[in-house]
Structure formats: C-alpha cells, structure tokens
Amino acid sequence: MLFFINFKAYEESTGSEALRLIRSIEREFGNNKSIILVLNPLDSMMETKLVKFAQTAEPQEAGPYTGHIPIGLLRKYSYSGVMLNHSEHRIGFEEIGESVKIASKLGLTTLVCAADLNEVAKLIPLEPDYVAYEPPELIGGDISVSTAKPEIIGKAVKLLEGTGSKLVVGAGIKNKNDVHVSKTLGAEGILVASGVVKSPKPIKVIIEMMKEVS
Ligand code: G3P
C-alpha cells in the first residue's frame, strides 16, 4: 500500500513548513518507500531521502519555456514521478497522454487523477502507472471516499484489473479505517492531503494509517 501525501499549497505544507514536515516524516520513517511526497512546484529544490512527486508538470523537454514546469526537468530535481490532472489542476486528455509518454520515456512514474469511473476507464489506454480516483466533491471534506463511495472503489479496481495501471484512492481520507477499507477493496494506495498536512499531529496520523497496512 502506498501513501501519497499531497502537500497542495497550504501554509502548513509549503516553504519552511514543508521542510519541517518532511524532516519529521524522515525522522519517523527514514526512507520508507511506501511514503511519497507530492510537492508544490515552488518547493522543488527541497532535498529528501523520501520519494518525491511533482504536483503537476507539462509535456515539454528542457528548453525555451517561461513559467512552465517541463517534465523533462523533473529528474534534475530528484523527482521520481509526477501527478497529473488533479481536480484542482485539470488538463486535457491529449496533454495527459503526451505527458505520460514523456514521463515514462524518462523513467518517471505517473499518477493520473480521475474524478469518476468514466474517467478511470478513459485513462486506461494511456497506461499511467497509477490512476487516482478522487471524487471532487469529497476533496478536503469530512466524509471520505471510502465511506461515501466504497462500491465505486471496487468497480474502479475491477476496471483496472489486467491493465498496467493500479488504483489509488483519495478525498477526505483521514484515518486508519479509510486506509483499511481502501485496501480491502483492492486499492494499491491512498492519496491524502488535509488529513495529514493540516492535522496538528501529522506524524501521529501517518503512523496510525501505516499501522493499518503493515
Ligand atoms: O490530492 C489529494 C486530495 O485531493 C485529497 O485531499 O484534503 O481530501 O485529503 P484531501
């Protein structure tokens, strides 16, 4: 089970606060490969022994681009992968396809977000490594995807069976029960933001969630 922690653009998880959070995760978990930090592009220079993903990037090599985040540069900043098409940063289908191609060519892992089952199905031919099912209306809220939409998680797992893509689920994930349900339904990972980064005790939350799957 993988734990993608999206740092988003919260005060609590960017700049010096991001660094503090990263160091406390390292102190507790070392370089545990199950934990993946999904960082704000402004924090791209942060070094860590944990696995890092970019929150988004664009299908470009290095070159004459101003204000863009070329996928071609991610390795230089020690990213292992890239998240694409998050509900808060939607991109077109063609751009997703192109991005996945470039990222795979460069050996970067891809995590592409989908808002519903139709979108999960549509992404299959693009062969991302992970598809993250996140119902937008539950993002940042108190009711988790595993509580509100367990049947959709099960259906998404089935849809991805036999493809090269694995399912990650996110939205409102906050506790070990959410992780337990997601895992039992066949998800290979969870994508969490506010439940960790806005918690007064983020490490305690991660420890609890990790216990559930170890
Ligand atoms: O990318 C993770 C995300 O959109 C879910 O956010 O705050 O509901 O965990 P949150």
Side-chain angles (χ1 to χ4, degrees), residues 6 15 18 30 53 65 74 76 93 100 108 113-114 124 129 132-133 135 156-157 163 189 198 204:
N6 183 358
F53 272 40
Y65 305 108
L74 294 182
K76 186 170 177 177
F93 185 71
V100 169
L108 292 158
C113 300
I124 293 172
D129 298 294
Y133 165 58
V157 167
T163 74
K198 287 187 76 69
K204 200 172 159 226

Side-chain angles (χ1 to χ4, degrees), residues 13 35 74 79 119 169 179-181:
S13 51
I35 298 176
L74 294 182
Y79 284 108
E119 211 177 352
V169 292
V179 179
H180 176 75
V181 173

Side-chain angles (χ1 to χ4, degrees), residues 4-8 10 38 83 86-88 111 113 132 134-136 138-144 169-174 190-198:
F4 291 89
I5 306 174
N6 183 358
F7 279 43
K8 295 205 174 181
Y10 290 117
V38 188
M83 178 166 75
H86 190 278
S87 278
E88 293 152 4
L111 169 74
C113 300
E134 290 206 317
L138 299 178
I139 292 178
D142 288 331
I143 301 170
S144 67
V169 292
I173 301 266
K174 288 206 170 37
I190 53 122
L191 177 55
V192 58
S194 54
V196 168
V197 304
K198 287 187 76 69

Side-chain angles (χ1 to χ4, degrees), residues 15 28 40 55-56 63 85 93 97 99 140 145 154 163-165 197 203:
E28 185 66 39
N40 187 288
Q55 286 178 353
T56 191
N85 198 42
F93 185 71
S99 300
V145 60
T163 74
S165 307
V197 304
I203 300 303

Side-chain angles (χ1 to χ4, degrees), residues 9-89:
Y10 290 117
E11 289 288 358
E12 294 89 337
S13 51
T14 48
S16 52
E17 282 83 358
L19 194 56
R20 200 173 317 137
L21 181 54
I22 291 169
R23 293 295 172 254
S24 33
I25 298 174
E26 286 171 343
R27 266 196 302 280
E28 185 66 39
F29 297 100
N31 64 348
N32 190 323
K33 297 283 177 256
S34 312
I35 298 176
I36 295 153
L37 313 177
V38 188
L39 297 182
N40 187 288
L42 286 170
D43 292 323
S44 56
M45 296 297 278
M46 281 184 194
E47 286 181 16
T48 174
K49 33 187 184 180
L50 291 156
V51 181
K52 287 199 307 188
F53 272 40
Q55 286 178 353
T56 191
E58 294 156 85
Q60 299 155 339
E61 303 289 346
Y65 305 108
T66 303
H68 293 270
I69 307 165
I71 289 175
L73 286 181
L74 294 182
R75 284 233 159 263
K76 186 170 177 177
Y77 291 88
S78 308
Y79 284 108
S80 307
V82 60
M83 178 166 75
L84 297 161
N85 198 42
H86 190 278
S87 278
E88 293 152 4
H89 196 119

